[in-house]
Amino acid sequence: MKCQQCEKPATFHITELTGEKPHELHLCEQCAQTYLSQNPSGGMPIQPSLAGMLHQQLKVTDTAKELAKLDEQACPICGITFYEFRNQGRLGCPHDYTCFGSELDPLIVNIHGDNIHAGKHPKHHRQTSQQQTQLIQLHNDMKVAIEKEDYERASQIRDEIRKIEEGQE
């Protein structure tokens, strides 16, 4: 069935029960958004109606599209995607807090009440965020070198990792 306002396939079938007879509309998504967002008097709807709820559902669909785009976003250091984080509940490296910061902040505030750490740090914790990021990047580089069978480069990277780790002790 085609949209009554354009030639696209109708995906929304709306039955209005406002008059004596039911009035059926067959609209595509775009025409349905336009129809559902307008009020017969031309203004904004005063009270929530079925049309208003359907319009809200269309907004949810847009949010789902935005989430799908966000799910493809990946950390350049560890390679974890936001989709993987949502499924596993774990981040891949400290840089992820920067990479996914705008999405993580409301989540962290909701869980912990704040997004700034106010507790204690372990005494042996001397590693800086920059060193952690560098170590993760080096480990990833070493994996790539091994996959390419570039063992000389892999051993150089291993030595760099050891040097960084020994400097922390």
Side-chain angles (χ1 to χ4, degrees):
M1 183 173 281
K2 292 186 178 182
C3 177
Q4 291 176 328
Q5 306 219 348
C6 66
E7 295 297 312
K8 295 179 185 173
T11 55
F12 285 84
H13 307 282
I14 302 169
T15 304
E16 290 273 344
L17 302 173
T18 54
E20 293 177 17
K21 288 186 173 182
H23 182 263
E24 289 187 9
L25 292 168
H26 306 285
L27 304 169
C28 67
E29 185 175 351
Q30 292 171 339
C31 292
Q33 275 186 328
T34 304
Y35 176 79
L36 295 172
S37 64
Q38 66 187 5
N39 190 16
S41 64
M44 294 297 289
I46 297 170
Q47 52 183 300
S49 63
L50 180 60
M53 289 187 282
L54 285 173
H55 180 66
Q56 185 64 30
Q57 181 62 34
L58 288 173
K59 287 183 181 177
V60 169
T61 303
D62 291 341
T63 302
K65 289 176 186 175
E66 291 172 12
L67 184 60
K69 185 186 282 185
L70 177 63
D71 281 346
E72 294 173 3
Q73 185 179 351
C75 173
I77 305 296
C78 68
I80 191 171
T81 63
F82 194 72
Y83 176 77
E84 291 170 338
F85 162 69
R86 287 192 316 118
N87 286 335
Q88 298 171 359
R90 291 185 178 162
L91 295 171
C93 72
H95 188 263
D96 292 343
Y97 288 97
T98 305
C99 187
F100 306 124
S102 59
E103 294 79 24
L104 292 176
D105 274 348
L107 181 65
I108 292 170
V109 168
N110 188 26
I111 293 170
H112 298 290
D114 201 352
N115 61 356
I116 298 171
H117 178 73
K120 297 180 180 179
H121 293 282
K123 292 180 183 177
H124 66 276
H125 185 266
R126 292 186 218 154
Q127 196 174 38
T128 66
S129 177
Q130 183 180 5
Q131 287 173 328
Q132 287 177 333
T133 304
Q134 185 181 10
L135 281 172
I136 291 167
Q137 184 69 50
L138 287 171
H139 279 285
N140 288 340
D141 291 347
M142 188 168 69
K143 284 180 188 176
V144 169
I146 291 170
E147 287 172 3
K148 291 181 179 179
E149 296 182 8
D150 186 359
Y151 299 113
E152 187 175 322
R153 175 72 182 133
S155 66
Q156 290 172 347
I157 295 171
R158 179 202 61 210
D159 294 342
E160 287 180 51
I161 291 171
R162 285 183 180 164
K163 195 181 295 183
I164 293 171
E165 288 175 343
E166 288 172 3
Q168 295 171 2
E169 294 175 10

